[in-house]
Structure formats: C-alpha cells, structure tokens
Amino acid sequence: MSTSVTEQPEELGQDGLPDWSALPSEPPGRGPTVLGMLLRAAVAGLVAALLWWRGHHVPAAVLVALAVTLTIASARFPAVARRVERVEGAIQRVAGRVLAVVLIGAVHLLVFTPISAVLRLLRHDPLALGQSRSDASFWRPVVKRRGRPLYRRPFSYDRIPGGAAGRGVRVGAALGLILVVVLLDVGLGALLNGLKGDDATARQASGEVNLLTAPDVPAGRDEPWRADLGREIAGAWGRKRYDPFLGWRMTDFHGRYVNQENGVRRSYQAPGADDPNAVTVYFLGGSTMFGAFQRDEHTIPSEFARLAEADGMPVRVVNYGQLAYVNWQEVLLLESLIGQSSRPDLAVFYDGYNELLSQFALGHHRRPTTLDAREIADRLRLGAEPADPSVWTALYDAWRDTSAVHRVGRSLGLVSNEDTALQTPWTAEQGDRPGQRGADAALVYGHGVDIARRLADSYGFRSAFFWQPSVYSKRVVPGEEQALLWLGADAKAWREATRVARSRLEPPAIDVSDALDGESGPVMYDSAHTNERGARAIARAMYARLRPQLRELNR
C-alpha cells in the first residue's frame, strides 16, 4: 500500500474536492433478490395456513394461488417484480400510517388521558414552577427539617415539605396510582374485548371453555382426543343464535372433530348413500344424538350407517341433533323442515334425559318448554326481573368482565372462570317429589311423540321414538360412580324419577335404557353422555329395532 503524501484518496476528484456525483444506479432488468421473493411467499403461506386452520378454506386457497402466481411471475419477469414491490411499498406506507394513528391514539387514550385526569383530581401540575400553579419560580422558603439531617441526603430535593400536608399528598398520590393502574387495566381489557370478545359465549366460541367437565374419567382413557373435542363442542355451543320458533339454532361450525353446516352435523356415509333410491333417515335429539363427546364419524347416526352398510342396505343418515334440545323442540324442527319441502323416509327421535333434566332444572311443569327458557326470558326481559345485585357485586362483575389482568389470570389458570359453559342447573330441592317429576316428564314427552307420529302419518313417512339410557338407568360399572353425582345431582332422586318415567312410557316409544348394560367397561363421561364405544352400543340397539322397517323401505 502506497504511503506517498502526494497520492490522493480515491474519493477525491482532479481538483482535490470530494466526488459528490450520484451513486451508480441499479442496472436495469435486475429484480428483487431470491431471498425477498421466498420471504414474501413464506409470509403468504403462513397467513394461508392460519386461515385454513380457522376454517376459512376458500380465502386460504385464493391466497395460496395468488402467492404462487406472483412468485413465479416475479422470478420470471423483473418488471412484474418491480411492480409488485411498488404495490407492497404503498400498502406498507398506508398500513404504517394507520397503525401509527391507532397505536399512538390508544396510548394517548389509555395512558396519558388517565394520568392527566388523576393529576387534575389531585390538583397537581408537573410543569408548575413551584408548589402551586401561581408560583413564579422554584424558589421556596427553607423549612426546618425533622428527623434525618440533610447532610445524610445532600442531593435530595423535597418538592413538598413534610408533615401532615406531605402525608396527605402521599396518600393522594398512592390512591391516584391505584386509580391509574385500574384504569389502565380496564382500558386495555376493553380494547382486547373489543377485538376478541370476552363474554361467556365468546370464550366458548374461541375454545377457552371445555364442555367436557371431567376429561380424566375412566370412560375417556382410550380417547386421547377428548379434551380438544370438548373444546370444539363448547365452540359450537357458543355460536348458537336465538330463534323465536325453536328457542335457538346451532350455526355453522368447522373444526377437526366437529363439523356442522345448515343445522346438520357431518356423519359417516356408506358407499351408495348418495343413490336417489337410498333410504333417508333423519336423526333428531339433544346433545346425546348430536354426539357431544364423539367425533363426527363416530356418533350414533354414523355408527347406524355402518351397521346398515354391513347389512347391505344403502342408508343416508342426516344428524339433526341439537345441543340441549328437548323432544318438543325436535318436533318443531321436523315441522320446520317439512315446511321447507325436506322430508325423510324415516325420522328417528332419541330423548329422555333432557325431559327429566327440565323437570329438575325448571321445577315441576306439565307444559312443553325448553332447558334455556329462563335464560331466554331474562335476556328478553320477560316476566319478573331478577333481584338487583349490590353495588360492590356489580362493580366487581363489571371489573371481572373487562379486566385485562383477569383475562390473563384465566388464560394461565390462576383465576377460576365463573362463567363456565355448564353450571349447576338445580333451582330447587331435587328430592321434592322425584316420582312426580318423572311422571310429568313422561307426560310432556308423550304429547310430543303423539304430534310427531301424526305429522309423519300425514306426510307419508315413518317415525320411531327411543327413550335413551343414562347412568341412572344402566348398570353402573367401576369407574362410573362419579357420573352419578354429576353437577351435584341427587342420585337417589334421579333414579326414582327415571324409574317412574320409564314406567309411564307408551307405544310407539321404545325404551332402550338397557342398551349399555352389556358393556363391561366404563362408557359414561357424565350422567348422560357416553364415549364412542357407548355410541356404538346404542346404535346397535336402535338398529336392531329398526332393521325390519329399513328392509321394507329399501324394497
């Protein structure tokens, strides 16, 4: 390397001044780097995967197709790549400005506004030149100190003298700090709730709630998917919508194990089920027919389809089971379907438990109703208004429903979730005339059966009615003992009500309460819902009774 003092550096021109000419521009035709294109494609693929996982299959497919097309075109044609980059840059600039306004506005609203409000309440101005706004400078008289001498803290600055006034200000500052923290907590929680929602329904729909209240019972020992399945069931239940005719309807839901569209849950369909001559069987019932803790292709209708397939009969099963429906709602649903020119060859009803549950949850009644009758009445403000809570209870409930801290605590499991999907439904003493509860349940059920049978006869299709088993009607095996006390149930009262209801059943109702007695292992997740092995046993009992009708319809 030369060290001559006469040698000029490369950046100096002939006249000894630096060369300020423009840098050489990028040669024309050169597009973006391969790494940039791959990064863009990876981001698009990640977004598409997220959309697909959330059930938005069409937008995900469109995004993937667009990303692949643009990536290939950018790699082949530099002009296309430059145009894509310019569009991306414009989008980024607009998005950056919008986010800046939103984020800075949120910080101003949630941080500076509460702090300013607290300081105004304390009559404190941090920009004042003295103790008060009227002071013209920081000059203040020296106050005789008490306690620790000043030389022990030579660099301290006591803005406000000690004494009673100082203690009052410190208390006010502490209260102001607490108020600021609460306001920040509530403000951040309100912002999160606005983006995600945080009421009980939203938590169910988002999968934070699990309808399977006891996932570790022996009945689920061989079903590792049970916890995820319970959360999906809760998500489907959380999306229900009020319906003035039926009480509520289940809306579309798409998950890994639970898929429902237009009120129909996906079921196993045997080859030939789409044949126009295949027998169409509608299955109507509550959560047990819906398959609350069974995967799509292992519910009672799905197992029924497999039995018909093995018997050489093409059957198309349609699962119209709805969570928490009673027989009366199912009859109304069938009537609604017929009004829409949707008619089966055979309609199968599966009920019993919810009829008894309504008698225990709503009290003695002999008129048709729904399990959520009181909740619907409260939300519509029908009948007597509930008692007003105390001021402190109302404040706590308002804070709990909005607080960001409470949300984090629930997510980490540090705070119990009061708004669970299932709460103790008993409104009165369960031991109050349990036999009468059973008789009333059978009476209301009988009215629904009679109307459904007449409806089927009028429109030319067949009907079948099954009274379902429960833990109070089956032989309890080891591992099912805790199902007897599910949600604090009085097992003795329930057994008596179940016994009386079964004794009052009249044809054409078919009692399959003993369908699970042949199972040697535990099948009950709770007092009503079974695992998939239990669903197969119930499907076998139903198919054995319906096989002659299916053969006749198949001919």
Side-chain angles (χ1 to χ4, degrees), residues 174-317:
L175 293 177
L177 179 60
I178 294 174
L179 181 60
V180 168
V181 171
V182 172
L183 290 176
L184 288 175
D185 175 40
V186 173
L188 181 58
L191 178 63
L192 294 175
N193 293 345
L195 296 175
K196 185 179 180 181
D198 194 41
D199 56 2
T201 299
R203 287 197 291 274
Q204 293 173 37
S206 65
E208 293 183 32
V209 177
N210 193 333
L211 273 182
L212 186 57
T213 56
D216 297 327
V217 296
R221 193 171 295 153
D222 299 325
E223 298 184 345
W225 54 82
R226 60 191 181 276
D228 293 335
L229 175 59
R231 281 187 284 270
E232 289 191 9
I233 296 291
W237 174 244
R239 296 189 181 187
K240 66 182 181 297
R241 292 293 180 266
Y242 169 72
D243 184 276
F245 186 64
L246 298 171
W248 63 87
R249 285 181 182 268
M250 306 291 293
T251 59
D252 293 354
F253 183 87
H254 299 285
R256 182 178 182 183
Y257 304 115
V258 180
N259 292 273
Q260 186 170 13
E261 191 166 347
N262 296 327
V264 178
R265 185 174 180 188
R266 182 185 298 172
S267 300
Y268 171 80
Q269 301 292 349
D274 294 333
D275 192 309
N277 296 321
V279 177
T280 300
V281 183
Y282 284 3
F283 287 86
L284 300 105
S287 57
T288 50
M289 176 59 76
F290 176 85
F293 303 123
Q294 296 127 27
R295 295 168 293 175
D296 285 338
E297 298 196 348
H298 299 275
T299 60
I300 293 175
S302 293
E303 297 298 341
F304 190 95
R306 288 190 175 88
L307 292 170
E309 178 187 15
D311 218 5
M313 289 187 290
V315 171
R316 184 172 72 91
V317 300

Side-chain angles (χ1 to χ4, degrees), residues 456-523:
D457 293 343
S458 299
Y459 283 89
F461 60 91
R462 303 194 181 192
S463 58
F465 307 88
F466 292 92
W467 186 271
Q468 68 189 95
S470 71
V471 74
Y472 305 112
S473 66
K474 72 180 294 290
R475 179 178 60 87
V476 179
V477 300
E480 294 181 340
E481 297 85 357
Q482 66 179 11
L484 292 167
L485 306 177
W486 184 58
L487 296 181
D490 184 340
K492 182 179 178 181
W494 268 88
R495 277 177 167 160
E496 176 63 14
T498 301
R499 182 192 66 80
V500 173
R502 294 176 61 191
S503 69
R504 300 292 182 92
L505 296 178
E506 297 181 357
I510 303 172
D511 187 4
V512 290
S513 297
D514 58 353
L516 300 173
D517 289 348
E519 298 296 319
S520 58
V523 297

